[in-house]
Amino acid sequence: MSNPRGWVWAIPLTFIVALALTVVPLPDWAAPWRPQWLAMTLIYWSMALPRRIGVGLGWFLGLLLDAATGALLGQHALGFALIAYLSIRMHQRVRVFPLWQQALTVGGLLALHLLLVLWILGMTGRAPGTWLYWAPLVSSMILWPWLFVLLRDVRRRWCLALS
Amino acid sequence: MRLALLALVSIGLMWADHRHQHLQEFRSTVAMLVYPVQAGVNLPVQAGAWVLEQLRSHQTLVEDNRRLREEHLHLNALMLRFEALEEENARLRELLDTSVRLRDPLMAAEIMAVDLDPFRQQLVINRGRVHGAYPGQPLINAQGVVGQVLESHPLHSIVLLISDPSHALPVLVNRTGLRTLAVGTGNPQLLELRYIPPAEDIEPGDIISTSGLGGRFPADYPVAQVTRVERIPGESFARVEARPLARLDRSREVLLLRPVNGNGDATERPAEIEAEAPAAESTPEDRP
C-alpha cells in the first residue's frame, strides 16, 4: 500500500469526508453556519500539492457539490475552479504564512467564491435575502487552523513531501 | 487557460440547466456519484432508529399495539361511513354528469437525513425513478400536503416543499369555496395566501385545501390553516397568513401520490370549474 508516492486514496478520502460533512444534517439554527468543508479541503490540497491537484479537479468537485445540494449545475463548479486556480498560483507565498494569516487568505478565497455564487443566484432569481448567507465565511475561517493541522498530518503520514 | 475554458463550460451548463430541462440525464449521473455519500450519511441515523426500535421494552410495545388496535377500529368505523358517502357522491356526480372521482394510489417514502442548501426548502427522499417517482409528483403526509418532486434520480428524489418561496399552490378555502394561491415564504411554519380582496369572507381558523386547478395536485387535500388576516385600508388585497398542516420541519415519513388520470380529477375537474369562473391566478376578484 505505501509505495514511495504515498497511499493514493488518502486525498480522495479527505474529499469524500468533506462532502459527507457538507450534507450531514445540522439543527436549523446551525445549518447556515456550516463551514465550506469541501472548498477548504480543496484549498489545502491545491496549496500543498499544486502539481497533482488541478483546476479540473476543483471544477469536478464543485459539480459534485451542485448535485449534492440541489443547486444549479455549474454554480459551485465555477467558483471551485477559480479557488483552485488562485490557490495554485499563490501556494508559495501562503504556505509560509502563520496560521491566522492563512485563515484570512482562505477567507478571502471563500468570499470570492460566495460572491460568485451569490451573483449567479441573483441572476436566476434565487438570492437569499439575509446576511446569514455569509455565515460560512466566519465559521470556515475559525476552523481553518484545525483543518490545516489535520490535513497536514494526513499528508505527512500518507503523501510524503510537498510537491 | 484551463480556467477560462472551465468557466465557459460552467456558464454553458448553468444556462442550459436554468433555461431548458435537457440536462436531466447528466444531472442524474452526477447525482448518482454523490448518492453513496448521502446514503452513508443517512446510515447512522437509520441505524440509530433501528437500535432504538430494538430496545423498546415489551411493555411499550404491548401498549402501542393496544392503542393502535383501538385507533384502527375507530378509523375503520369512520371508513364505513366514508365509503358509503363516497359511493353516494359518485352516484350524485353521475347524475350531474360530471367525472367520477377515484381514490389516488399512494407510495410510502422516507425522508433521508441529508441537508441541502439551507436557504431553500428542499428535502431528499429515498424513492427514485426505479420506484416510479417522477418530477412534479405530489407529496403528502398524514396531516396534509408536503410538496412535490423537483428532480427524480434513479434511487432518490429531491423534493420542493410548499414553503419554498418559489412554490405556489392553487388552493381554496373549505368553508367558503374562495379560490386563492398559497405561496411559500421560506419559513416552514408560514404560507402566504395571495390575491384575496379585503371584502372576502376569510377568518383565522379556516382550513384551506388543494383546488386541483394547477393540474398537478389532486383536489381536496388539506394544506394549511389560516392564522392571521390583516385588511389594510387602501390596499387592493388582504394580507393573509396560514400555517401548513403537515409539520414540514419534523415529519419523517411521507406519501407519494399518483393522481388518477383519464376520468380522474387532474384532467376533468379544472374544465368543470372553469365553466363557472376563470382560474384563480388570472382573475383574483372572482367570487364563487
Side-chain angles (χ1 to χ4, degrees):
Chain A
M1 272 300 203
S2 54
N3 54 9
R5 290 183 58 93
W7 187 45
V8 220
W9 292 102
I11 298 174
L13 198 68
T14 57
F15 283 128
I16 291 172
V17 170
L19 192 63
L21 282 171
T22 314
V23 296
V24 96
L26 290 181
D28 272 349
W29 60 268
W33 293 87
R34 180 197 303 276
Q36 298 261 326
W37 294 113
L38 203 56
M40 282 174 16
T41 315
L42 175 67
I43 292 174
Y44 177 79
W45 287 120
S46 342
M47 285 190 187
L49 307 170
R51 301 232 176 79
R52 282 212 242 165
I53 307 291
V55 175
L57 180 74
W59 186 82
F60 178 68
L61 287 171
L63 203 65
L64 289 187
L65 186 62
D66 286 329
T69 57
L72 211 57
L73 276 185
Q75 177 179 306
H76 291 99
L78 182 59
F80 273 38
L82 186 69
I83 283 184
Y85 174 75
L86 290 175
S87 316
I88 292 169
R89 282 296 292 270
M90 300 194 305
H91 76 274
Q92 275 175 333
R93 256 175 301 161
V94 181
R95 247 191 226 164
V96 293
F97 278 176
L99 275 180
W100 67 270
Q101 238 169 325
Q102 270 189 12
L104 284 184
T105 318
V106 168
L109 287 173
L110 290 179
L112 204 63
H113 167 66
L114 286 176
L115 194 69
L116 206 62
V117 170
L118 184 66
W119 186 50
I120 295 163
L121 286 175
M123 285 211 297
T124 53
R126 300 179 189 174
T130 155
W131 286 101
L132 270 183
Y133 176 77
W134 299 98
L137 208 56
V138 179
S139 54
S140 300
M141 272 157 69
I142 293 171
L143 281 171
W144 170 258
W146 283 273
L147 187 79
F148 177 83
V149 170
L150 189 77
L151 286 177
R152 191 180 55 189
D153 287 350
V154 168
R155 179 175 59 73
R156 284 186 180 158
R157 179 88 174 67
W158 285 299
C159 307
L160 297 178
L162 297 166
S163 63
Chain B
M1 185 58 214
R2 288 265 292 286
L3 180 69
L5 195 73
L6 286 171
L8 275 180
V9 173
S10 318
I11 291 168
L13 263 182
M14 282 187 278
W15 178 77
D17 199 19
H18 187 54
R19 297 278 151 170
H20 314 281
Q21 313 298 319
H22 302 317
L23 284 176
Q24 186 63 42
E25 280 307 311
F26 179 62
R27 220 190 154 87
S28 287
T29 315
V30 183
M32 280 315 286
L33 282 177
V34 187
Y35 184 67
V37 175
Q38 291 177 321
V41 166
N42 187 40
L43 204 63
V45 181
Q46 238 175 359
W50 183 81
V51 167
L52 274 184
E53 214 156 79
Q54 298 301 310
L55 292 178
R56 298 270 291 283
S57 70
H58 182 70
Q59 178 68 24
T60 28
L61 282 178
V62 169
E63 257 169 39
D64 267 8
N65 204 323
R66 194 178 47 77
R67 194 173 46 76
L68 287 173
R69 244 172 234 281
E70 267 174 28
E71 214 175 287
H72 187 230
L73 196 69
H74 186 71
L75 287 173
N76 256 350
L78 285 178
M79 277 303 279
L80 283 179
R81 293 235 17 218
F82 176 75
E83 257 161 38
L85 285 172
E86 201 176 36
E87 265 169 36
E88 185 183 319
N89 190 307
R91 260 203 320 280
L92 289 171
R93 273 173 180 276
E94 253 167 56
L95 281 179
L96 285 170
D97 214 17
T98 57
S99 62
V100 182
R101 304 189 31 231
L102 301 173
R103 228 178 279 179
D104 308 306
L106 297 167
M107 172 166 67
E110 204 167 290
I111 294 173
M112 289 175 66
V114 166
D115 268 9
L116 297 173
D117 190 341
F119 300 106
R120 302 201 66 198
Q121 302 278 313
Q122 293 178 341
L123 294 174
V124 182
I125 55 169
N126 66 349
R127 287 281 179 269
R129 274 208 297 271
V130 170
H131 310 96
Y134 57 88
Q137 187 168 25
L139 238 85
I140 60 167
N141 66 9
Q143 287 91 39
V145 174
V146 172
Q148 58 175 298
V149 174
L150 190 64
E151 295 164 18
S152 60
H153 301 305
L155 293 177
H156 64 296
S157 301
I158 294 182
V159 172
L160 189 68
L161 295 178
I162 53 172
S163 54
D164 189 90
S166 69
H167 196 278
L169 183 65
V171 292
L172 51 80
V173 179
N174 276 4
R175 189 167 56 84
T176 57
L178 168 72
R179 275 188 290 282
T180 159
L181 215 55
V183 181
T185 58
N187 175 351
Q189 303 283 0
L190 190 67
L191 295 178
E192 241 173 65
L193 302 185
R194 295 268 172 88
Y195 312 123
I196 299 180
E200 280 295 350
D201 177 19
I202 184 164
E203 287 165 8
D206 282 350
I207 300 286
I208 59 169
S209 49
T210 52
S211 67
L213 278 181
R216 220 164 241 195
F217 285 83
D220 298 334
Y221 282 96
V223 176
Q225 184 170 31
V226 176
T227 49
R228 207 164 69 90
V229 181
E230 197 182 338
R231 296 180 168 90
I232 304 159
E235 294 219 354
S236 40
F237 299 115
R239 190 173 297 162
V240 184
E241 288 172 1
R243 188 172 43 78
L245 291 170
R247 308 297 294 271
L248 296 180
D249 45 352
R250 58 190 66 172
S251 60
R252 187 149 163 70
E253 269 97 30
V254 289
L255 295 166
L256 282 158
L257 272 181
R258 186 178 286 276
V260 181
N261 281 322
N263 52 0
D265 298 321
T267 49
E268 300 272 327
R269 260 191 59 129
E272 167 203 328
I273 287 172
E274 260 156 18
E276 316 163 17
E281 292 100 314
S282 50
T283 54
E285 23 335 282
D286 74 35
R287 199 161 307 206

